Amino acid sequence: MSVQIKPRILLTKTLPLAAQKRIESFDKIELIHWKDGVIPRGELLNLVKGVDGLLCMITDEIDEEVIETAGNQLKVVSTMSVGYDHVSTAALKSRSIPLGYTPGVLTDAVADLAVLLVLAAARRLREGISAVLNGDWITWSPTWLLGSQLTDKTIGIVGFGRIGLGTAKRLKPFLGSNGKIVYAGRTVKKEAEEVDAKKVEFDVLIKEADVVIISCSLTEETRGMFNYEVFKKMKRSVILVNIARGSMINQPDLVHALSENRLGAVALDVTTPEPLSPNDELLKFKNVTVIPHLGSATLETRTAMANIAIDNLLAGIKGEKLPYQVEFN
Ligand code: NAP
C-alpha cells in the first residue's frame, strides 16, 4: 500500500479563530504553524524548506533567499494582505509561482480608519485625551484645543485605488457644498465621478490640499515620495494621514518638517520601523498621532482576509488559478 504524502504548508502566524480552526481542519495537508509572534529569519529559512505552500503576513520578508530555500516543490505563496511589497514578485515570477493576496475585503475597514485618523488629527484628539489623563482639563474655554473642521476644505488623495475611493466616499459628506476632493495617481479613475473627484498633478495636490491622505501602493517609485521638499510645498495647516505603508514617507524628513512647524497635524497608521519605539522623535510632537497598523483590524475583516488567504493557498496547492492572484508585470 502506497503512503500518500500530504502537501506541507507553512503558516507564519495564528489566524483569527474561525479561520485558524478551518485551516487546522484540513486532514489532507501537513500544517507547520509558527505561533509565537514574528517568525525569526533563521526559523523562517529553516521551516520553509520543502514546503508546498506558504501562508505569510506583511511582517515576513519573502525574498529571493526564502523562495530559493523553500525549494522547487513550492507551488504557491499566499499573503494575508492586499499590499505585497514584502514579497519578491521577481523571485516568484521567474519560477512561475503564483502569489495570492486579499484585495477588496479590507477596503471598508481601512477607509473607516482613514476617516478616524483625519478627524482625530483635525480635532486634536491625542491632545484632548492626554489633557484628561494628565489632569490638565481645568475648564471649558472658548479658545482651548481648537482644531479645524472639514467643511469647505480640499481633500487630496494620493493613490485613488479601492481604499482611496472608499475614503473619499466617506469624507465627501463632511465637506459641504464648497469642499472638494482631488486625487493624484498614474491613471484617470472613472469611479472618481461618484464623488466628483478630479485628477490633478501630484505637485498641485500637495500645494492645494487641506488634508492629504496617502493610500497608494508602495513601489520603488513611491517609496519616500513624501520628503522634505514635498512637506515644504504643503500648506502649513495641512493634515497629513498615512494609511498605506510607512516607507511612503521619508520619516527623518517628516521629523525635520515638524520641528520647523511646517505641518498642521499628522496621523499615521503605518511607520518606519514597525513597531515604532515609544522613544521615537516623531512621538514628541503633540500634533502627531500614531496608531499601530490597525487599518484592517476588525474581526470581520481579518477573518475574511484569512479565509481568502486560505482559499488562495488551497487553489495553488492544487495547481489551480488562485481566486485572488497578483498579476505579475
Ligand atoms: P489599489 O486598489 O491597488 O490602490 C493602489 C493605488 O495606488 C492605485 O490606485 C494606484 O494608482 C496607486 N499608485 C500606484 N503608484 C502610484 C504613484 N506613483 N502615484 C500615485 N498613485 C499610485 O490598493 P488598495 O486596496 O487601495 O490598497 C492600497 C495600499 O494600502 C496597499 O498597497 C497597502 O500598502 C495599503 N494598505 C494598508 C493597510 C493598513 O492596515 N494600514 C491595509 C490595507 C492596505 P493607479 O491605479 O493609477 O496605478
Side-chain angles (χ1 to χ4, degrees), residues 108-313:
D108 285 347
V110 184
D112 287 352
L113 196 90
V115 174
L116 177 74
L117 289 179
V118 169
L119 292 173
R123 300 302 298 272
R124 305 174 65 172
L125 191 66
R126 172 182 171 182
E127 289 170 84
I129 291 173
S130 298
V132 174
L133 295 175
N134 298 337
D136 295 332
W137 182 14
I138 309 301
T139 180
W140 183 93
S141 152
T143 56
W144 190 47
L145 281 184
L146 304 188
S148 57
Q149 66 192 65
L150 299 178
T151 320
D152 300 342
K153 297 284 166 52
T154 296
I155 307 275
I157 299 187
V158 179
F160 207 74
R162 287 170 291 253
I163 295 170
L165 175 64
T167 306
K169 283 181 177 168
R170 283 161 174 74
L171 286 175
K172 177 86 174 154
F174 288 89
L175 302 180
S177 49
N178 294 321
K180 61 177 181 175
I181 301 175
V182 295
Y183 69 97
R186 293 174 297 191
T187 52
V188 175
K189 302 288 184 188
K190 178 89 182 107
E191 55 276 24
E193 289 170 14
E194 293 172 42
V195 286
D196 244 340
K198 303 271 176 300
K199 184 173 183 297
V200 294
E201 290 305 314
F202 177 71
D203 242 34
V204 173
L205 184 148
I206 56 167
K207 279 183 198 142
E208 290 187 355
D210 299 292
V211 177
V212 174
I213 300 167
I214 310 174
S215 52
C216 186
S217 31
L218 176 65
T219 64
E220 279 324 302
E221 196 190 335
T222 61
R223 189 179 296 277
M225 193 173 185
F226 288 81
N227 56 28
Y228 185 68
E229 288 311 306
V230 169
F231 298 135
K232 260 191 352 195
K233 291 178 191 160
M234 288 178 165
K235 291 187 178 178
R236 285 215 175 220
S237 57
V238 74
I239 289 163
L240 174 66
V241 167
N242 187 7
I243 56 85
R245 286 286 180 265
S247 309
M248 294 287 306
I249 291 180
N250 179 322
Q251 221 162 270
D253 282 11
L254 178 62
V255 168
H256 183 193
L258 283 161
S259 68
E260 293 178 345
N261 271 323
R262 288 192 175 276
L263 307 170
V266 177
L268 310 173
D269 184 40
V270 285
T271 58
T272 310
E274 291 183 9
L276 193 69
S277 158
N279 301 317
D280 195 281
E281 263 192 282
L282 199 52
L283 299 175
K284 298 191 175 116
F285 300 96
K286 59 185 193 305
N287 56 343
V288 173
T289 303
V290 178
I291 56 170
H293 205 145
L294 296 178
S296 62
T298 67
L299 180 60
E300 298 89 334
T301 290
R302 288 281 171 81
T303 303
M305 290 166 71
N307 276 318
I308 289 176
I310 293 172
D311 294 343
N312 284 336
L313 184 88

Side-chain angles (χ1 to χ4, degrees), residues 67-112:
I67 308 293
E68 178 62 28
T69 307
N72 290 336
Q73 77 301 322
L74 183 66
K75 293 185 189 65
V76 60
V77 173
S78 171
T79 180
M80 192 182 132
S81 59
V82 64
Y84 49 86
D85 44 279
H86 57 296
V87 180
S88 169
T89 50
L92 293 179
K93 188 180 174 187
S94 66
R95 294 167 175 83
S96 302
I97 297 170
L99 172 61
Y101 71 144
T102 67
V105 285
L106 43 68
T107 302
D108 285 347
V110 184
D112 287 352

